[in-house]
């Protein structure tokens, strides 16, 4: 196919505008029927008062057309069906007048000419010259008529024929406006209207965060510092349309989080003092922010897993969320709600073999901070998140977030979905790097309100301030960047917390996320990389798209359906809500329903014996959140004053629930001297007498004691092996997961045989991987058992999963081989060299002849054709034959070297996709960045960093083949991305 010549990308940015205003024109006798072969001549002189970077010409006539620019013939066409599309940048003259001259000839009985010249000047300024009433026409062509300086005073103004897009010609330039996806191409819930308010220009950046001030103005920040300023401010009119645009130029920007509060704009991004949270204020009352002060330094807080959003709580304090690559800020208060945390690895952790940039991170990982408006006291409020980008309070003062998964873990037993979390003071959610992520049921953590599935969480907001129907006023709106959608999550009270239903999000789900009655797709579309949202003073939803260099835009969602009868919003208040976000003491409010007020409950709290009684009763509550808070209170008491035996005994005198929760508290804050008391106390509550939830809780007490207090006496080890072996194997994977690792840690004599039997019996690949991971630490093997075990690795070679799945299996194998006696290792290693043929071998590369070094501008004009007559089978064939599938996953097929492309069309529009294909190195996520290392002898090594220590660096030089190269640091001269 012959491609049109160099239609630069900039024509797309103006196409939407000229599609609305460019006109088909003819000479002043346009109303008369033109004669076949009639020729007319047209001129337009225009001025350019600046430097011009690009100029693109579009022209057509209903017949033949020839175009001159500044006296030079630049284009010719024989039919309107073959319009001119041409880069004329070299012919345009900056800082002076320019002249367009056109000869048009009728062919077909209808007369018409349309011309659009799109100019991009320096600093991103645009100028569009198009056919309109200002053009001049003549029936004759005097000498020099097509040259600059020709005296055209005798020529007459043209007559308008029709707007560009009219029939029979249609949108003959066949270009689609660049910019954010048009609103009419998006889907929104019934009764709602969506509008595209603004598409970002290249100089305005790719937008990732937004805030709204008390006047209803929107503040928008690009991911990287924009040339025109740090933060864009948009003033809206009464209809929610943009009335004014200006930039806040205070050397603060690249914000991943912003908040307007206390007459200030708080910005989490880059500023004069580096990465940090900055406070911007208007000190002279003129309406413009003029003062910048560093509110808090955030070391290592940059990037997509760094410092994020901020929100004001019902206590008028700031709550700030940070991702898992951000260490806690300095100067945290010792009485912070989140305390007594640790890594709590039971078996040695296997670090992620791909995401090595997270290797050095430690607890608390992703966390939420709390501070006052002036930043005088800083507290660690909650932690154990992966990368919660945004947080918000509902109408009852309850804090929620939408936490991310580790998508490279898909298919592995430690994979955790994106999930909605109810965040209370002191909450732990159990994210750890590598194989050490906590399952949802660990008693020293809080589980999810609902699992959503795969995705990439960004902005969140409750509909409290919206003018939407009641159903949506209580909804939690969450954004998924990967799949290009906004979800309305409808949560319901459940005891002291909340719940929602999403049965499609299964434990080891590898498919696209699904929706349910409680997890509603509110907005969706292709090319919709959603980043942040706010509700304006008009009650409408405003949201941005962008991130990682994608086309940015601003949308407005308003309710236009039948309002119905106004009603009081249905409350979703749980028992704890009236006490605000810091509920370490709210459990004392949960009396016997006698209506005792909060203040009275706090008074009773301070009366000594009543406090202990309330606490003991709360430790055994069926409500998990109540038990969690009660245990946290007990930990605070016992860490401040080490408990005597009678203190502990007091909490063991009731049922097993209260006792096991108290023993977990002691395991977390007690000493080595407390361990025997803990383990002996556990024998009073045999596993056979407990249901599955409490069996898991008891096993967790044992694990935490062994982790934090070390190996117990041999007598207790033997007792533990005897008691636990009777329960193994159990009926559920959750129990087998905990029992297998406990028995391996204790070195039970029959754990290898039992675990191998489970590995052989389960069809779930993720469960098999768990058992293989546990068995790498086992010590008592027979040769036959080792052969069975290592044979499994061959069968698991083609298991599908996320980017790290296959490499985790290889790392488990490597660790297991290290523990094999020398006299057996060679035989087993040789056995592992014999790999079965993959079930679907990669397609061979097809030799292709060089055609051209294509540019984005070459291919842009044909983008509209890509949506017509598509052949998906052919596309799949090419995806494989040009080796894309070696590195990229699509659906359930492909490699795991580069990003998963399964939902790439939801977050990138066609223009962004084209650019990523033609210029793959233009935007590279930090997760896939490669380095070039130059050695002192002049040799260079390129690839991704796999591992690094004080002496060496390991570089993945061939990710497809898995080849690595170790380099000694003293021999390295230079390293650069």
């Amino acid at each position: 196919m012959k491609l049109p010549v160099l239609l630069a990308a900039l024509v797309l940015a103006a196409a939407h505008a000229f599609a609305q205003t460019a006109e088909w024109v003819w000479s002043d006798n346009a109303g008369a029927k033109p004669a076949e072969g009639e020729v007319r001549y047209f001129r337009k002189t225009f001025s350019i008062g600046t430097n011009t970077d690009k100029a693109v010409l579009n022209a057509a006539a209903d017949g033949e057309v020839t175009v001159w620019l500044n006296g030079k013939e630049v284009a010719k066409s024989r039919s309107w069906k073959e319009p001119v599309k041409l880069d004329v940048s070299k012919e345009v003259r900056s800082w002076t007048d320019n002249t367009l001259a056109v000869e048009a000839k009728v062919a077909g009985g209808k007369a018409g000419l349309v011309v659009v010249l799109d100019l991009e000047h320096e600093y991103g300024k645009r100028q569009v010259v198009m056919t309109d009433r200002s053009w001049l026409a003549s029936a004759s062509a005097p000498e020099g008529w097509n040259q600059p300086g020709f005296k055209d005073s005798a020529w007459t103004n043209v007559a308008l024929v029709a707007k560009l897009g009219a029939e029979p010609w249609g949108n003959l330039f066949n270009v689609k406006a660049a910019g954010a996806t048009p609103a009419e191409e998006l889907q929104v819930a019934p009764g709602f209207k969506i509008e595209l308010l603004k598409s970002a220009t290249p100089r305005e950046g790719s937008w990732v965060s937004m805030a709204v001030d008390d006047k209803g103005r929107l503040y928008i920040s690009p991911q990287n510092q924009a040339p025109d300023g740090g933060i864009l401010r948009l003033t809206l009119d009464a209809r929610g349309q943009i009335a004014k645009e200006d930039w806040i130029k205070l050397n603060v920007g690249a914000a991943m989080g912003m908040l307007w509060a206390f007459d200030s704009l708080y910005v989490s991004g880059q500023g004069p003092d580096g990465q940090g949270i900055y406070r911007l204020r208007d000190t002279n009352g003129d309406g413009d922010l003029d003062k910048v002060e560093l509110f808090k330094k955030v070391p290592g807080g940059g990037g997509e897993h760094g410092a994020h959003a901020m929100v004001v709580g019902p206590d008028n304090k700031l709550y700030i969320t940070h991702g898992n690559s951000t260490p806690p800020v300095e100067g945290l208060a010792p009485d912070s709600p989140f305390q007594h945390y640790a890594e709590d690895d039971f078996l040695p952790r296997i670090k992620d073999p791909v995401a090595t940039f997270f290797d050095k991170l430690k607890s608390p990982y992703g966390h939420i901070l709390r501070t006052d408006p002036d930043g005088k006291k800083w507290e660690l409020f909650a932690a154990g998140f992966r990368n919660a980008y945004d947080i918000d309070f509902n109408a009852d003062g309850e804090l929620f977030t939408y936490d991310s998964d580790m998508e490279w873990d898909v298919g592995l037993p430690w994979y955790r979905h994106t999930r909605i979390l109810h965040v209370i003071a002191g909450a732990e959610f159990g994210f750890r790097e590598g194989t050490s992520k906590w399952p949802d049921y660990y008693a020293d953590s809080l589980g999810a309100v609902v699992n959503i599935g795969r995705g990439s969480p960004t902005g969140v907001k409750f509909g409290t301030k919206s003018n939407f129907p009641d159903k949506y006023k209580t909804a939690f709106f969450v954004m998924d960047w990967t799949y290009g959608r906004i979800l309305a999550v409808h949560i319901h009270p459940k005891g002291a917390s909340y719940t929602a239903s999403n049965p499609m999000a299964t434990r080891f789900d590898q498919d696209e996320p699904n929706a349910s009655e409680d997890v509603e797709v509110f907005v969706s579309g292709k090319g919709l990389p959603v980043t942040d949202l706010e509700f304006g003073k008009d009650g409408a939803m405003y949201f941005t798209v962008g991130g990682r260099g994608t086309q940015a835009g601003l949308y407005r969602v308003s309710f236009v359906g039948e309002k119905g009868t106004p009603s009081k919003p249905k409350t979703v208040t749980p028992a704890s809500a009236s006490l605000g976000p810091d509920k370490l003491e709210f459990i004392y409010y949960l009396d016997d329903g006698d209506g005792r007020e909060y203040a009275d409950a706090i008074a009773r709290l301070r009366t000594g014996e009543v406090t202990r009684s309330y606490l003991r009763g709360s430790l055994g509550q069926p409500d998990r959140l109540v038990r969690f808070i009660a245990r946290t209170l007990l930990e605070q008491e016992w860490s401040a004053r080490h408990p005597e035996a009678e203190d502990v005994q007091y909490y063991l005198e009731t049922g097993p629930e209260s006792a096991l929760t108290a023993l977990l508290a002691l395991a977390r804050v007690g000493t080595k001297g407390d361990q025997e008391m803990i383990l002996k106390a556990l024998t009073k509550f045999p596993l056979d007498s407990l249901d599955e939830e409490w069996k898991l809780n008891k096993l967790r007490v044992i694990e935490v004691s062994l982790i934090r207090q070390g190996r117990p006496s041999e007598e207790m080890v033997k007792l533990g092996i005897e008691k636990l072996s009777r329960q193994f194997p159990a009926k559920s994977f959750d129990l087998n997961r905990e029992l297998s690792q406990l028995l391996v840690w204790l070195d039970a004599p029959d754990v290898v045989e039992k675990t191998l039997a489970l590995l052989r019996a389960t069809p779930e690949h993720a469960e098999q991987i768990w058992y293989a991971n546990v068995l790498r630490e086992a010590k008592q093997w027979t040769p036959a058992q080792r052969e069975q075990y290592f044979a499994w690795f061959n069968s698991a070679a083609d298991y599908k999963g996320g980017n790290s799945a296959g490499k985790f299996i290889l790392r488990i194998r490597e660790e297991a081989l290290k523990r094999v006696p020398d006299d057996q290792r060679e035989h087993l290693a040789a056995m592992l060299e014999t790999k079965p043929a993959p079930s679907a071998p990669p397609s061979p590369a097809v030799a292709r002849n060089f055609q051209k070094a294509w540019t984005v501008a070459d291919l842009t004009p044909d983008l509209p054709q890509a949506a017509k007559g598509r052949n998906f089978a052919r596309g799949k064939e090419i995806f494989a034959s040009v080796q894309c599938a070696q590195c990229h996953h699509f659906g359930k097929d492909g490699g795991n070297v580069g990003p998963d492309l399964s939902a790439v069309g939801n977050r990138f529009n066609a223009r962004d996709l084209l650019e990523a294909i033609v210029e793959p190195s233009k935007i590279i996520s930090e997760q896939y960045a490669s380095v070039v290392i130059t050695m002192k002898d002049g040799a260079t090594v390129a690839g991704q960093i796999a591992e690094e220590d004080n002496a060496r660096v390991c570089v993945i030089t061939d990710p497809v083949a898995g080849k690595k190269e170790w380099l000694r640091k003293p021999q390295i001269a230079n390293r650069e991305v």
Side-chain angles (χ1 to χ4, degrees):
M1 177 179 66
K2 184 177 180 181
L3 293 169
V5 190
L6 270 179
L7 175 59
L10 61 93
V11 75
L12 297 183
H16 185 68
F18 70 69
Q20 305 303 316
T21 58
E23 300 275 356
W24 284 89
V25 301
W26 200 245
S27 62
D28 56 3
N29 67 338
K33 184 175 181 179
E36 180 73 19
E38 178 180 288
V39 178
R40 291 292 184 267
Y41 305 91
F42 303 86
R43 285 176 56 86
K44 173 68 177 179
T45 298
F46 58 96
S47 298
I48 298 177
T50 184
N51 291 319
T52 300
D53 297 329
K54 288 284 186 180
V56 176
L57 175 69
N58 293 260
D62 196 327
E64 298 180 16
V65 64
T66 305
V67 183
W68 290 261
L69 178 57
N70 293 327
K72 179 180 178 180
E73 182 180 322
V74 293
K76 182 175 287 189
S77 171
R78 291 182 175 275
S79 169
W80 65 266
K81 296 180 180 179
E82 298 176 2
V84 170
K85 300 180 181 182
L86 185 67
D87 187 317
V88 292
S89 303
K90 294 181 180 179
E91 312 307 328
V92 171
R93 301 171 182 173
S94 300
W95 302 99
T96 188
D97 288 343
N98 290 258
T99 300
L100 275 168
V102 182
E103 177 187 286
K105 181 179 180 180
V106 175
K110 193 170 180 66
L113 166 73
V114 62
V115 178
V116 176
L117 177 63
D118 184 26
L119 303 149
E120 182 178 357
H121 305 313
E122 61 183 352
Y123 306 116
K125 296 180 180 178
R126 271 212 156 72
Q127 181 180 356
V128 182
V129 179
M130 63 187 75
T131 43
D132 56 21
R133 288 187 184 275
S134 67
W135 281 57
L136 300 175
S138 173
S140 61
E143 183 178 355
W145 74 273
N146 55 6
Q147 301 297 312
F150 173 75
K151 302 298 183 181
D152 53 17
S153 57
W155 289 36
T156 58
N157 289 97
V158 298
L160 303 182
V161 176
K163 289 188 177 295
L164 178 63
E167 296 301 329
W169 306 295
N171 184 13
L172 78 171
F173 294 149
N174 199 28
V175 293
K176 179 180 177 181
T181 303
E184 56 268 21
E185 296 181 15
L186 304 179
Q187 294 77 51
V188 66
F192 290 87
K193 174 186 176 182
I194 187 167
E195 305 167 83
L196 173 60
L197 299 186
K198 178 177 172 60
S199 289
T201 66
R203 293 183 63 84
E204 290 172 335
S206 191
W207 299 340
V208 293
S209 70
M210 179 169 56
V212 59
D213 68 12
D214 50 7
K215 294 182 175 64
R217 296 176 295 187
L218 301 178
Y219 297 81
I220 298 174
S221 174
Q223 187 166 5
N224 299 308
Q225 201 84 6
D228 289 323
I231 297 168
L232 176 64
R233 182 169 64 183
L234 303 177
T235 302
L236 306 176
D237 62 20
R239 299 175 298 111
Q241 306 300 303
I242 298 172
K244 180 183 177 183
E245 302 180 16
D246 61 323
W247 285 86
I248 308 300
K249 297 183 179 182
L250 289 176
N251 195 26
V252 176
M256 285 285 185
M258 294 191 295
L259 169 69
W260 182 272
F262 310 111
D263 295 321
S264 307
L265 182 65
Y266 295 86
V267 178
S268 185
Q270 287 288 334
D273 296 298
Q275 186 71 38
I277 301 171
Y278 290 86
R279 189 175 187 179
L280 282 57
R281 284 189 271 196
D282 172 13
T283 59
N284 58 16
D286 65 355
D288 290 326
L289 299 169
D290 52 45
K291 181 181 180 182
V292 176
E293 59 181 325
L294 179 64
F295 188 68
K296 190 67 173 181
K297 185 75 173 175
V298 183
E304 296 174 4
H305 289 249
H308 292 320
M310 298 166 280
V311 66
V312 177
D315 52 1
N316 276 333
K317 293 184 178 180
L318 299 180
Y319 290 76
I320 304 162
T321 182
H322 285 174
N324 58 314
S325 67
T326 308
V329 298
E330 295 182 356
L332 289 174
D335 61 346
S336 292
F338 188 74
Q339 297 183 15
H340 314 305
Y341 56 91
E343 288 297 291
D344 286 333
D345 286 331
F346 192 55
L347 295 181
R349 176 183 310 188
I350 292 182
K351 298 177 180 178
D352 193 307
V354 179
T356 55
F357 35 82
F358 293 135
D359 279 355
K360 295 181 174 62
L361 304 180
K362 295 182 178 180
S363 188
Y365 298 101
H367 55 275
I368 294 175
L369 302 170
R370 180 172 63 183
T371 188
D372 54 88
D374 296 320
K376 294 179 180 178
K377 180 180 180 180
W378 288 81
E379 301 172 278
L380 188 57
F381 183 76
F385 308 98
R386 182 178 186 248
N387 191 31
Y389 186 85
D390 202 355
I391 52 178
D392 196 30
F393 287 90
N394 70 0
D396 299 311
E398 300 291 312
L399 183 62
F400 287 80
T401 191
Y402 179 30
D403 197 16
S404 67
D405 60 349
M406 175 41 163
E407 64 275 19
W408 295 356
D409 284 347
V410 168
L412 295 168
W414 43 87
Y415 173 70
R416 308 193 322 171
H417 292 275
T418 68
R419 53 203 199 134
I420 306 299
L421 304 175
H422 176 202
V423 186
I424 64 166
E428 161 75 82
F429 291 98
F431 177 80
R432 302 293 187 269
E433 295 295 345
T435 59
S436 296
K437 298 173 183 67
W438 293 10
D440 201 61
Y441 53 75
Y442 273 4
D444 42 345
S445 70
L446 288 173
V449 171
V450 61
N451 286 328
I452 299 298
R454 296 173 63 185
S456 182
T458 48
V460 306
K461 193 68 64 178
F462 276 96
T464 312
K465 295 181 180 179
S466 74
N467 62 1
F468 293 176
D470 293 348
K471 171 184 176 181
Y472 295 101
K473 283 183 177 291
T474 57
F476 189 38
F477 292 95
V478 303
M479 308 182 94
D480 178 358
W481 189 83
T482 294
Y483 288 94
R485 59 189 194 158
I486 302 175
L487 302 175
V489 182
H490 304 286
I491 57 176
H492 314 285
K494 182 182 179 182
S497 188
Y498 301 81
T499 189
S501 173
N502 190 18
M504 302 304 293
T506 58
R507 185 194 302 250
F508 304 127
D509 182 24
Q510 295 188 41
D511 297 321
E512 289 188 16
N514 293 280
S516 67
E517 184 176 344
D518 286 343
V519 182
E520 175 189 358
V521 179
F522 184 71
V523 175
S524 63
K526 300 294 184 181
L528 196 71
V530 290
T531 51
D532 206 358
L533 78 158
E534 293 283 353
F535 284 95
K537 295 193 75 173
D538 58 357
M541 173 191 286
Y542 295 83
F543 72 88
T544 54
V545 298
R548 294 189 184 174
T550 58
Q551 172 63 56
L554 172 68
Y555 295 85
R556 179 178 186 265
V557 179
S558 55
F559 182 69
V560 294
E562 292 293 331
K563 292 289 185 181
T565 304
S567 62
K568 183 179 180 181
K570 182 181 178 181
T571 180
V572 293
T573 309
S576 60
S578 62
L579 308 186
D582 194 346
K583 294 185 293 298
L584 286 178
E585 297 175 337
F586 95 86
I587 52 173
Y588 301 103
Y589 182 62
L590 303 177
D591 199 21
D592 297 325
D594 59 358
R596 191 175 289 117
E597 293 295 328
Y598 174 55
D600 182 44
I602 292 298
R604 290 173 59 84
L605 169 66
R606 297 174 178 149
T607 61
E609 187 64 27
V610 173
T611 299
R612 295 182 70 198
S613 174
Y614 268 49
L615 186 58
R616 184 169 67 176
S618 299
L619 289 168
Q621 285 281 333
D623 192 300
R624 179 176 179 177
L625 187 140
V626 173
R627 293 198 307 269
F628 184 94
I629 297 173
R631 177 185 53 77
T632 304
L633 280 171
L634 192 59
E635 287 178 13
Q636 290 183 2
E637 178 184 332
W638 283 350
S639 62
R641 178 186 63 82
H642 187 269
E644 300 294 335
E646 54 270 23
D647 294 324
V648 177
Q649 185 61 35
Y650 174 80
Y651 293 99
L652 304 183
E653 292 173 350
T654 55
E657 295 85 358
S658 178
L660 290 173
T661 308
L663 290 172
L664 178 59
L666 188 57
R668 285 171 53 86
V669 300
T671 65
K672 178 66 175 177
D674 297 317
Q675 187 178 53
E676 186 165 343
M677 175 174 57
I678 293 171
L679 297 179
K680 285 184 176 180
L682 288 173
T683 63
K684 299 177 182 178
F685 312 105
L687 287 167
D688 286 332
S689 67
L690 305 174
D691 64 20
E692 178 157 324
E693 178 184 8
W694 286 99
K695 284 180 180 178
L696 290 168
N697 290 352
K698 176 177 176 177
L699 296 177
R700 183 59 180 163
V701 176
I702 298 171
E703 290 171 359
V704 173
S705 176
L706 300 183
I707 292 166
R708 297 199 177 195
Q709 295 154 0
R711 195 170 184 86
S713 66
E714 282 307 306
E715 177 187 355
M716 296 305 300
V717 168
K718 290 178 181 178
L719 181 62
I721 292 174
E722 175 190 346
K723 300 289 188 183
L724 297 177
S725 293
R726 293 177 190 169
Q727 304 292 323
F728 185 61
K731 293 181 180 180
S732 73
F733 173 67
D734 291 344
L735 284 169
N736 285 329
R737 174 178 178 141
E738 305 310 320
L739 287 166
S740 61
Q741 66 174 348
L742 270 165
L743 289 166
V744 163
W745 194 93
L746 293 169
D747 197 20
D750 59 352
V751 65
V752 169
E753 186 58 41
K754 288 182 176 181
T755 308
L756 280 173
L758 287 171
L759 186 151
R760 292 191 299 267
T762 178
E764 285 280 1
H765 291 174
E767 293 180 10
Q768 294 176 25
I769 294 167
W770 176 259
Y771 297 132
N773 175 53
V774 168
L775 284 172
R776 69 186 161 91
E777 292 294 320
K779 300 179 178 65
Q780 300 186 48
W781 295 81
T782 67
Q785 288 171 340
R786 285 200 191 276
E787 287 206 5
Q788 290 178 40
Y789 175 63
F790 283 100
W792 173 83
F793 289 99
N794 284 339
S795 66
D798 60 349
Y799 283 3
K800 299 296 183 183
N803 199 25
S804 297
K807 300 175 183 68
F808 263 117
I809 294 173
L810 291 176
R811 187 62 60 84
I812 292 169
R813 189 186 74 177
E814 292 172 7
E815 293 296 315
L817 269 174
K818 291 177 183 178
R819 291 161 176 75
V820 174
D822 293 342
D823 60 346
Q824 298 179 38
R825 186 176 299 127
E826 184 175 350
H827 164 67
L828 293 170
M831 183 180 72
L832 291 171
E833 291 299 318
T834 307
K835 299 185 177 72
S839 56
S843 300
V846 177
R848 285 179 164 81
N849 295 325
F850 176 80
Q851 299 293 323
K852 179 181 178 180
W854 298 107
T855 67
V856 173
D858 290 334
L859 300 169
T860 296
D862 292 286
L863 280 177
Q865 299 175 29
K868 301 174 183 177
R870 289 176 287 185
N871 186 327
F872 292 102
R874 175 65 174 152
K876 184 176 182 180
E877 174 190 326
I878 293 175
F879 185 74
S881 67
V882 299
Q883 307 299 290
C884 301
Q886 290 290 300
C887 295
H888 295 282
H889 217 68
F890 192 92
K892 295 185 177 180
D893 300 314
N896 294 317
V897 174
D900 188 330
L901 302 182
S902 300
V904 72
N906 293 61
R907 59 185 181 271
F908 293 117
N909 61 29
R911 175 61 167 70
D912 290 330
L913 280 173
L914 175 63
E915 184 176 81
I917 294 169
V918 178
E919 303 177 30
S921 296
K922 185 174 181 180
I923 302 291
I924 298 179
S925 167
E926 60 197 45
Q927 301 177 51
Y928 299 98
S930 293
V931 298
V932 176
I933 295 178
T934 304
M935 308 302 290
K936 290 182 177 178
D937 63 4
T940 60
V941 179
Q944 292 179 326
I945 301 296
E947 298 178 48
E948 184 172 359
D949 55 31
N950 292 331
R952 300 187 302 167
V953 176
C954 181
V955 181
I956 303 174
T957 55
D958 184 344
V960 175
K963 292 182 180 178
K964 300 177 182 178
E965 187 169 343
W966 284 94
L967 307 175
R968 294 182 62 245
K969 282 189 172 180
Q971 302 303 317
I972 295 175
N974 186 48
R975 182 197 306 195
E976 59 183 338
V977 176

